[in-house]
Amino acid sequence: MTISWDEETKSILLIDQTSLPTSCRMIRCRTVNRLITAIRRLEVRGAPALGIAGAYGVALAAFSIKLTSFPRYTHRVKNAGFAIGNARPTAVNLSWGVHRVLTKAEDLATSIEEYRRIALMEAQTVAEEDSAACHALGDYGAALLPDTGTILTHCNAGALACREWGTALGIVRSAVASGKNISVIACETRPLLQGARLTAWELKRDGIPVTVIPDSAAAHLMRKDKIDCIIVGADRITRDTVFNKVGTYMHALCAKSHDLPFYVAVPSSTFDSIHAGSEIEIEERERDEVARFSGRITVPDGVPVINPAFDATPLSLVSALVTEKGIISPASDWMQNGKIHRII
Ligand code: MRU
């Protein structure tokens, strides 16, 4: 499992995604500050996994904060929750996970002991629901795939980005489990290589055929009829826009030009019914992620770098949203009265 709660030590266990594919090691977060560092360094990453990290993070705060006055205690847990929720801005799941556990504990608990018990129970529920959502959307999405085909994906929307199974790769896994002959083209996903390092690693482990390409080769392969459809995950879906790893918008435009289906696979925790795309902050990351490669300087000193972690794809370019509640098409119709609707 990508992320779990260790009951004995009251800490969070994560797969360190920065060390893959060369080694697979675990990190233990015993403090809220260590968890925030893990989120910022992308030791834990991917929207659904961040949702679970946010949820367990509140439980971690609840167990690690040692105060005797209940009002002061809840105030401190809440502040810790806000700090976790703000560790990265774009994936809505992170603040969603924090908010869900804080609200439940605050609504029901009347003592510190109760607060801890309720926070942990709710965090475990968030984690278990994520697994169930990935399997359900995987089954819905598998039905959209041909019996034999090649799927292009970007970044990592797999088991490593969730508790297990995955969203985009969950669809691939479900399709393969149902007997379909599916292979995957993984875009390497510059600059941090989540596609090359993580998607390729987890599919290889499962024996699912995977080939890595430079991001810039995607249009060429679409033109050569080497791709049957594109499936990506998302960090946030607003009323009109999909936010996902930078490069997604480019794939969506290319898919449109080549008349290929472009699917976005997401659990409900990724929907943001409040905001429009223009209101969302896109995380800007450090210069060195682009200006250095393998320990070497690759951009001359003094030359500026722009390094957005995500981009914004209009829902009009998305053929369908695949969720645990079903398939939504047209994608732009996903919301009515603040709720997900139009399930086929
Ligand atoms: O910066 P990252 O690695 O956290 O970005 C992750 C992505 O963009 C994923 O595609 C997205 O979170 C969906 S994961 C199911």
Side-chain angles (χ1 to χ4, degrees):
M1 241 171 318
T2 303
I3 176 164
S4 58
W5 176 258
D6 181 25
E7 184 50 31
E8 207 182 307
T9 56
K10 308 276 190 276
S11 61
I12 301 171
L13 268 177
L14 320 162
I15 295 180
D16 173 10
Q17 302 197 31
T18 61
S19 64
L20 289 168
T22 37
S23 72
C24 181
R25 62 182 199 98
M26 302 303 287
I27 289 175
R28 185 182 297 280
C29 297
R30 294 176 192 274
T31 64
V32 166
N33 281 346
R34 181 64 188 90
L35 177 66
I36 290 173
T37 301
I39 293 170
R40 293 210 173 115
R41 281 190 191 150
L42 273 52
E43 288 163 334
V44 58
R45 47 142 303 279
L50 289 175
I52 300 166
Y56 279 145
V58 175
L60 181 64
F63 280 98
S64 58
I65 289 169
K66 312 279 184 218
L67 288 173
T68 45
S69 139
F70 187 56
R72 285 183 59 212
Y73 169 84
T74 52
H75 184 71
R76 281 274 295 279
V77 176
K78 211 176 186 169
N79 283 348
F82 289 151
I84 298 165
N86 288 328
R88 291 186 79 192
T90 310
V92 71
N93 311 60
L94 179 58
S95 51
W96 168 87
V98 166
H99 182 76
R100 194 168 137 175
V101 177
L102 276 180
T103 310
K104 189 78 168 197
E106 281 186 8
D107 284 355
L108 299 181
T110 53
S111 69
I112 293 177
E113 206 169 281
E114 241 181 21
Y115 196 106
R116 288 179 175 146
R117 188 179 52 78
I118 292 166
L120 180 58
M121 243 170 57
E122 188 65 4
Q124 297 283 29
T125 306
V126 165
E128 280 155 24
E129 282 178 7
D130 187 67
S131 290
C134 285
H135 283 277
L137 73 82
D139 291 345
Y140 282 119
L144 296 171
L145 302 192
D147 286 341
T148 297
T150 303
I151 313 305
L152 181 135
T153 191
H154 191 70
C155 194
N156 172 265
L160 289 165
C162 305
R163 186 177 184 234
E164 49 139 351
W165 204 245
T167 58
L169 299 189
I171 294 177
V172 169
R173 286 194 167 93
S174 295
V176 169
S178 74
K180 293 190 176 182
N181 182 17
I182 300 295
S183 58
V184 173
I185 301 257
C187 293
E188 63 172 351
T189 316
R190 285 277 297 147
L192 296 182
L193 306 177
Q194 289 94 329
R197 293 189 302 104
L198 308 177
T199 294
W201 179 80
E202 62 169 89
L203 289 178
K204 180 176 177 233
R205 257 177 40 137
D206 277 12
I208 297 174
V210 56
T211 303
V212 174
I213 60 163
D215 301 327
S216 42
H220 172 68
L221 293 180
M222 290 185 206
R223 193 177 74 85
K224 290 279 196 182
D225 287 335
K226 302 284 188 205
I227 312 285
D228 295 296
C229 76
I230 296 89
I231 313 179
V232 294
D235 288 84
R236 186 187 295 246
I237 296 185
T238 64
R239 298 195 297 255
D240 51 6
T241 307
V242 174
F243 290 85
N244 192 44
K245 181 54 56 192
V246 66
T248 300
Y249 180 33
M250 185 173 74
H251 296 315
L253 289 168
C254 289
K256 185 90 178 167
S257 281
H258 294 91
D259 213 11
L260 288 169
F262 183 89
Y263 300 124
V264 179
V266 273
S268 308
S269 53
T270 305
F271 287 90
D272 172 355
S273 55
I274 298 166
H275 297 105
S278 55
E279 295 154 20
I280 302 307
E281 179 184 349
I282 292 187
E283 179 183 359
E284 280 284 336
R285 294 188 60 88
E286 277 175 30
R287 166 193 174 84
D288 272 4
E289 290 180 354
V290 175
R292 283 178 171 268
F293 193 79
S294 228
R296 290 190 49 192
I297 290 177
T298 52
V299 177
D301 282 347
V303 173
V305 156
I306 300 173
N307 184 19
F310 303 98
D311 64 19
T313 302
L315 278 172
S316 54
L317 291 175
V318 176
S319 314
L321 298 170
V322 183
T323 78
E324 78 275 24
K325 297 174 197 278
I327 292 162
I328 305 174
S329 179
S332 48
D333 279 2
W334 73 264
M335 196 185 82
Q336 203 161 68
N337 302 326
K339 292 221 165 70
I340 300 171
H341 96 126
R342 188 70 78 93
I343 310 291
I344 300 176

